Amino acid sequence: MTRLLGYSRFWVYLFVVLALDLVTKEWVQYHSGFPHGLYPPEGGAEVIPGFISIVFTTNLGAAWGLFAGFSIFLVALAVVALFAIYGFRKHLELDRPLMQAGFGLMVAGILGNLIDRLRFGYVVDFLDVHLSFYRWPTFNIADSAIFCGVGLYLFWSVKADFAARRKAKQRPVIE
């Protein structure tokens, strides 16, 4: 039990973000009344006019619809990623609070989309961001969590690498 408590930030991020992801997908799919695949003004709702809308779409693939029709592959990839994170947790420095935040976000995102794939055969997406010249592919909280988790991990890894290099370059002072 003590080992699990050592990862307390990881568990908090994982459960809070996973719950938020599942609840929002449930609402959009079953309770919002938004028709599938329609964008404002025909469907959905604008949150910030001309920039962010809430819609109801589904994705049979991964990011940008890549690997559509390869659900078994995407499920297997998610399971392998989860086992790899667990297996390499010491090497990934999950005992560090900052790494726990990043990996808590990543695991929550992986699990959120995995649950959708296993339940429905697709992933529910609902956040639509668009600029006057580009409409970003619709995404969900799980996708955002994966993106932010990877970003945090890369930031902290690069920061730690720079700190280690700086420390190695410092010469000891001889008195």
Side-chain angles (χ1 to χ4, degrees):
M1 186 67 170
T2 305
R3 285 184 186 172
L4 290 177
L5 293 177
Y7 296 108
S8 60
R9 281 196 175 103
F10 170 83
W11 294 113
V12 168
Y13 277 89
L14 189 156
F15 287 122
V16 168
V17 173
L18 180 60
L20 186 60
D21 179 63
L22 295 175
V23 165
T24 54
K25 289 174 179 176
E26 176 79 14
W27 179 81
V28 165
Q29 188 167 7
Y30 296 115
H31 306 290
S32 68
F34 296 155
H36 181 267
L38 294 180
Y39 293 80
E42 293 84 22
E46 286 189 310
V47 177
I48 300 174
F51 184 55
I52 297 175
S53 299
I54 305 292
V55 298
F56 169 41
T57 63
T58 54
N59 185 353
L60 296 171
W64 293 279
L66 295 172
F67 305 110
F70 292 92
S71 287
I72 294 172
F73 168 74
L74 294 171
V75 166
L77 183 62
V79 170
V80 167
L82 292 170
F83 276 107
I85 290 169
Y86 176 77
F88 291 104
R89 66 190 178 281
K90 289 191 190 307
H91 179 73
L92 295 169
E93 301 180 86
L94 279 179
D95 56 328
R96 294 177 53 207
L98 297 176
M99 291 301 188
Q100 289 179 26
F103 279 97
L105 291 171
M106 278 189 261
V107 171
I110 293 168
L111 284 172
N113 285 340
L114 176 61
I115 289 168
D116 274 10
R117 281 186 212 294
L118 293 173
R119 282 181 68 195
F120 311 120
Y122 56 82
V123 173
V124 175
D125 288 328
F126 60 91
L127 296 169
D128 177 51
V129 176
H130 50 279
L131 304 171
S132 61
F133 57 90
Y134 182 72
R135 172 169 254 131
W136 193 258
T138 307
F139 58 99
N140 57 43
I141 291 175
D143 298 334
S144 300
I146 293 168
F147 179 82
C148 291
V150 169
L152 289 172
Y153 176 73
L154 292 175
F155 174 76
W156 289 318
S157 295
V158 169
K159 185 177 175 185
D161 186 51
F162 280 128
R165 287 182 188 193
R166 188 175 326 139
K167 188 175 182 179
K169 285 183 179 180
Q170 290 178 348
R171 297 177 189 220
V173 177
I174 300 174
E175 295 182 26

